[in-house]
Amino acid sequence: MPSKKRLRLLDRYLTLWIMVAMLAGVAIGWLSPEISGFWNSLSSGTTNIPIAIGLIVMMYPPLAKVRYEELGDVFRNTRILGLSLIQNWIIGPVLMFFLAILFLRFNIDYMYGLILIGLARCIAMVIVWNDLAKGDTQYAAGLVAFNSIFQVLFFSVYAYVFIAILPGWFGLPVNDAVAEITIGQIAKSVFIYLGIPFIAGFLTRFILIRVESKEWYHTKFIPKISPLTLIALLFTIFVMFSLKGEYIVRIPVDVIRIAIPLLIYFVVMFFVSFLLSRRAGASYEQTATLSFTAASNNFELAIAVAIAIFGINSGEAFAAVIGPLIEVPVMIGLVNVALRMKMKYFSPQEVPDI
């Protein structure tokens, strides 16, 4: 398909790389159980040092790519901004919350992991999906910048409300980690794994664009650091699954259980956002951008926060890892759906100004 030809090799086979890392981790954990002792020996308190470094490195390239200077374009169009806010910060988190309750209420660890995925709005891969679907690159850049800043400011509050407060309203049991969780603990984790790379990414962009040029920054520097995200992600997954070698028989079944609500979430979010954007009078380019921004998730942040709060061996972290495993192939399929819907519902001359 045309869209797949433009997808970079690393991105196109991301699901495969993740599966290989999972299987390699499970294999070495199964064959060499002593590896768990090695990873645990590299910890300070409850923090595993190599994993902490890996998670920060994983978040840095996406945040260095963000075009913060284009954020003003989003604020100038209040309808686009309002629609994106509703899709990303109301519909998305609420939908994932209820899907998690519906499908995983009998495994609350996985349930909380799924809820975290719904709270982490996309700031990286959405640029890829938007480009493949021929969306509005300017709005995509602006929305990514907005979501990045919004996450830094409010993610800890969202996580506390959706994890520590709302489940109790539905009579759901809590595990020990949730019972003891505080908003300060979440805020600390968000600052370490999102705030630090956010500051580093922002300063990197601000300084290097002025020292060199914007063209050099995007054509030379960004391609050099982009693979760091995948390397750090695969390293984290490998370590996590090497600690779970003894669960080798159970894992495939659990992957399917977690994958079902994720699949429903990605598809429903895309079509609901597409319909809302279309009815709001958006052009195809704007509709595609809003839909993929709403349907995608920042799985790097979800993994980082799940590990920081619940631990690398937790079911929450395991569930968070399944996010990109399902998201990537689903989004590739939705790119082709979007291009077909463009031909069906948007005429070539239809470029409304909203």
Side-chain angles (χ1 to χ4, degrees):
M1 296 180 182
S3 62
K4 291 183 181 179
K5 293 180 180 178
R6 297 176 55 199
L7 193 59
R8 292 188 309 128
L9 180 66
L10 290 178
D11 294 328
R12 181 176 179 180
Y13 294 105
L14 180 57
T15 297
L16 174 61
W17 310 141
I18 292 172
M19 291 185 67
V20 169
M22 290 169 59
L23 293 174
V26 169
I28 196 168
W30 179 264
L31 298 173
S32 304
E34 63 273 12
I35 194 172
S36 61
F38 170 73
W39 293 124
N40 291 328
S41 70
L42 301 175
S43 298
S44 175
T46 58
T47 302
N48 183 279
I49 303 302
I51 291 300
I53 294 173
L55 292 172
I56 293 173
V57 171
M58 179 173 67
M59 290 298 299
Y60 169 66
L63 290 162
K65 294 177 185 178
V66 174
R67 299 173 185 260
Y68 299 99
E69 67 276 10
E70 297 184 11
L71 184 59
D73 296 324
V74 175
F75 286 104
R76 277 196 291 270
N77 194 320
T78 55
R79 178 175 286 186
I80 287 287
L81 178 61
L83 192 56
S84 180
L85 276 170
I86 292 171
Q87 292 171 349
N88 279 280
W89 297 103
I90 297 178
I91 298 177
V94 170
L95 174 62
M96 187 69 91
F97 179 80
F98 283 108
L99 286 174
I101 291 177
L102 179 64
F103 286 91
L104 297 170
R105 63 183 302 157
F106 300 110
N107 190 319
I108 58 173
D109 294 349
Y110 292 164
M111 183 188 77
Y112 289 122
L114 210 66
I115 291 172
L116 278 176
I117 295 175
L119 299 178
R121 313 315 300 166
C122 194
I123 61 171
M125 289 297 290
V126 65
I127 298 294
V128 177
W129 314 133
N130 182 72
D131 180 60
L132 295 176
K134 304 185 187 303
D136 190 316
T137 55
Q138 185 177 10
Y139 272 117
L143 290 174
V144 165
F146 175 79
N147 280 338
S148 300
I149 295 173
F150 199 97
Q151 283 179 2
V152 171
L153 296 176
F154 300 110
F155 185 85
S156 56
V157 177
Y158 261 74
Y160 183 76
V161 170
F162 276 84
I163 289 177
I165 297 178
L166 290 184
W169 292 6
F170 293 87
L172 296 172
V174 297
N175 55 25
D176 293 338
V178 172
E180 299 175 1
I181 201 170
T182 66
I183 192 169
Q185 180 185 5
I186 299 175
K188 179 182 176 182
S189 301
V190 171
F191 174 76
I192 293 173
Y193 299 111
L194 181 60
I196 291 176
F198 172 81
I199 294 170
F202 180 84
L203 291 177
T204 299
R205 182 177 184 83
F206 181 82
I207 294 171
L208 291 185
I209 283 180
R210 283 155 180 77
V211 172
E212 295 288 344
S213 68
K214 184 178 288 190
E215 180 181 1
W216 175 89
Y217 186 82
H218 286 286
T219 60
K220 301 295 183 181
F221 180 73
I222 290 299
K224 292 289 185 182
I225 66 170
S226 291
L228 291 176
T229 295
L230 178 60
I231 293 171
L233 172 65
L234 296 181
F235 170 73
T236 301
I237 291 172
F238 172 78
V239 174
M240 289 176 59
F241 280 82
S242 68
L243 292 167
K244 290 179 173 291
E246 68 273 22
Y247 300 120
I248 189 170
V249 176
R250 195 189 72 183
I251 284 176
V253 176
D254 286 7
V255 169
I256 295 173
R257 292 176 60 196
I258 297 168
I260 292 173
L262 280 171
L263 176 62
I264 295 172
Y265 171 84
F266 293 133
V267 173
V268 170
M269 277 301 296
F270 175 82
F271 283 104
V272 167
S273 300
F274 200 96
L275 176 62
L276 289 176
S277 302
R278 171 65 174 152
R279 288 191 172 180
S283 66
Y284 167 76
E285 289 75 15
Q286 295 166 336
T287 297
T289 298
L290 288 165
S291 300
F292 282 105
T293 302
S296 304
N297 289 88
N298 184 357
F299 52 79
E300 298 97 339
L301 177 61
I303 293 171
V305 174
I307 290 175
I309 296 176
F310 299 102
I312 195 170
N313 287 303
S314 65
E316 290 87 352
F318 175 78
V321 167
I322 306 304
L325 185 69
I326 306 303
E327 177 176 342
V328 174
V330 172
M331 288 300 156
I332 292 175
L334 289 175
V335 164
N336 292 280
V337 171
L339 292 172
R340 291 189 178 95
M341 292 177 75
K342 176 184 180 181
M343 293 186 292
K344 184 174 182 179
Y345 296 108
F346 295 86
S347 64
Q349 295 79 24
E350 184 180 8
V351 187
D353 182 12
I354 67 170

